[in-house]
Amino acid sequence: MQFVEPETVEEVVAALAADPTSRCLAGGATLVAMMNADLVEPGGLVSLRRVPQLATLTVEVDGTAVIGAMARHAAVARFDGFRGAQRIVRAAAARIGHPAVRNMGTIGGSICHADPSADYPTAITAAAATIDIAGPSGSRQLAAADFFVDWFETALEPGELVTAVRLPADLPLAGVHYEKFTRADGDFATVSVAAVVSITDGLCEAVRVAVGGAAERPVRDPEAEAALVGAPLSPAGLAALGEALQGRCNPIDDVRASAAYRLALVPRLVARAVTAAARDAEQQEGQNS
Amino acid sequence: MSETGRMAIELQVNGSRQPALAAPHETLLTVLRERLGLTGTKRGCNQGVCGACTVLIDGEPMRACLSLALACTGRAIETVEGLGDGLRLSPVQQALVDKGATQCGFCTPGMAIALTALLRRDPAPDAEDVREAISGHLCRCSGYVKIIEAGLAASRRNEAP
């Protein structure tokens, strides 16, 4: 097995092209665990730790937050540059695993693994993130909604890597809440809900809600979200959104819960998450007025 | 590269440079235990779940079982063997002894590392901070109460004014 440590994205792409059986090594929190369990045996490893471009965590002039693929969960969880809706990603980062795992794991590694019960895929979907991708045919961008394809499957082509996750600044005063249901602290979510809510003069201005752990990829329902816009949030409106999202879920039975239990959780957690996000939005407004 | 696929690397462990051989798929845990004889760091689940293999890498707690040895070159590694000075235990280790916080002892090195990292960052944590710091460390004897007491005993909060 070859082990290389390139220093630029171009060199990473070249290394991946040189050996199609090789895999990127980010924080190792998942890949090394899978190697230890003999679930995967890469032909080679391309370590990303010496690529400075991938480790950045910055805010651009237009307010877009750019999280480098190698940003550790702990760094994202304490980054104070996020505004409004972007803070949903910080809230989710703080709930991933335990301290030692948050010191190792990276956002690029997490979203490329694409475990629908993981925290980041759900959160960046609610943040309406865009994924920066580099590969043999150049760079491209994909919306989070198009990036997650199926259970543990992304739209990445062979030889491509994620370089960054971009969070738009479109809802700078939005409230956020990440509602994660687990039986054991630090576990993957049984079901999780990431909610972003913008409220102006008591009326709902925008809502984005993503459900994780209940389908092959994060679930949103933009039509049901739009139905809440322009009116005050109401229990009936939240119930309708929860029911619509539940209808789009496709959960499995596993060690954490039965599919039926997961389905039952969805509307309850959606109502909780959106209500808490609305409360957070009021606090945001209070701080900015 | 040798015939076994192992490469010669140098790790910085407990303040000293340690040459070692490691294959690309081998973890820091394997190299610490099997090449460097540092068996204080325990192999529990080998999946990053149990916390027994936790070491400090550049001052932060990380799982040695999830860290490939080749990706640890140039980084400062601290194991439980480096906490005391060879004659005396560190304050955290002494507190674990004094509070009877070791039962079977298997989780103790990881707990000691986690508490050491916490107290370096926050010399006066409260019980909730200690619980958060040792979350992700499984004590199969379920002796968490005394481990938390030890963390608090080792903190500045507990020093006489």
Side-chain angles (χ1 to χ4, degrees), chain A residues 203-216:
Chain A
L203 303 179
C204 178
E205 186 186 49
V207 180
R208 291 199 296 252
V209 180
V211 179
E216 69 280 8

Side-chain angles (χ1 to χ4, degrees), chain A:
Chain A
M1 186 197 288
Q2 293 291 314
F3 184 93
V4 294
E5 297 196 313
E7 294 180 7
T8 66
V9 170
E10 292 70 26
E11 289 170 10
V12 173
V13 170
L16 292 172
D19 178 5
T21 67
S22 63
R23 300 289 293 267
C24 287
L25 173 68
T30 300
L31 180 58
V32 178
M34 292 175 75
M35 288 165 61
N36 289 350
D38 288 331
L39 290 172
V40 35
E41 193 177 349
L45 290 170
V46 182
S47 166
L48 304 182
R49 70 163 173 148
R50 295 196 191 277
V51 186
Q53 182 194 327
L54 299 178
T56 54
L57 186 44
T58 55
V59 178
E60 296 190 332
V61 182
D62 68 357
T64 302
V66 184
I67 308 172
M70 284 293 282
R72 312 278 160 171
H73 308 330
V76 174
R78 62 174 175 256
F79 182 63
D80 60 8
F82 297 126
R83 294 288 174 269
Q86 297 166 344
R87 296 174 304 125
I88 191 64
V89 176
R90 183 173 67 195
R95 300 294 307 276
I96 302 172
H98 295 111
V101 169
R102 290 197 291 273
N103 287 335
M104 303 184 71
T106 66
I107 193 167
S110 174
I111 67 170
C112 290
H113 186 53
D115 183 336
S117 293
D119 300 290
Y120 268 145
T122 310
I124 71 166
T125 299
T130 304
I131 320 285
D132 285 358
I133 296 166
S137 47
S139 303
R140 62 183 180 125
Q141 293 191 322
L142 273 181
D146 300 321
F147 180 79
F148 299 107
V149 173
D150 210 335
W151 305 96
F152 301 97
E153 188 182 330
T154 69
L156 278 186
E157 298 289 341
E160 287 187 323
L161 75 149
V162 166
T163 56
V165 176
R166 292 173 174 272
L167 311 181
D170 59 340
L171 300 174
L173 295 178
V176 301
H177 185 78
Y178 185 64
E179 184 75 25
K180 179 176 180 178
F181 186 93
T182 58
R183 298 292 299 273
D185 177 66
D187 196 2
F188 285 90
T190 308
V191 172
S192 68
V193 175
V196 169
V197 177
S198 221
I199 307 235
T200 305
D201 300 329
L203 303 179
C204 178
E205 186 186 49
V207 180
R208 291 199 296 252
V209 180
V211 179
E216 69 280 8
R217 57 199 187 112
V219 170
R220 270 185 72 187
D221 189 332
E223 260 181 53
E225 290 171 2
L228 300 186
V229 171
L233 286 177
S234 67
L238 295 185
L241 176 62
E243 203 175 308
L245 285 163
Q246 186 187 43
R248 288 177 170 243
C249 288
N250 175 32
I252 56 165
D253 295 318
D254 70 8
V255 64
R256 292 186 179 85
S258 66
Y261 188 80
R262 285 189 160 91
L263 280 179
L265 280 174
V266 170
R268 290 162 174 81
L269 299 186
V270 166
R272 246 186 243 174
V274 176
T275 303
R279 209 158 40 230
D280 182 54
E282 284 167 26
Q283 284 165 6
Q284 294 281 305
E285 203 172 7
Q287 283 166 11
N288 283 283
S289 61

Side-chain angles (χ1 to χ4, degrees), chain B residues 37-108:
Chain B
L38 297 171
T39 53
T41 304
K42 302 305 181 199
R43 175 178 284 125
C45 67
N46 220 28
Q47 288 290 302
V49 175
C50 76
C53 71
T54 305
V55 297
L56 298 180
I57 301 182
D58 291 337
E60 295 185 323
M62 297 193 198
R63 303 291 198 234
C65 78
L66 297 182
S67 304
L68 293 181
L70 266 55
C72 291
T73 56
R75 311 183 77 182
I77 297 154
E78 291 173 80
T79 70
V80 68
E81 288 90 347
L83 296 186
D85 62 9
L87 295 171
R88 281 162 306 178
L89 297 175
S90 75
V92 164
Q93 289 173 307
Q94 191 60 54
L96 288 165
V97 172
D98 293 346
K99 291 291 175 183
T102 66
Q103 292 185 38
C104 82
F106 194 83
C107 73
T108 308

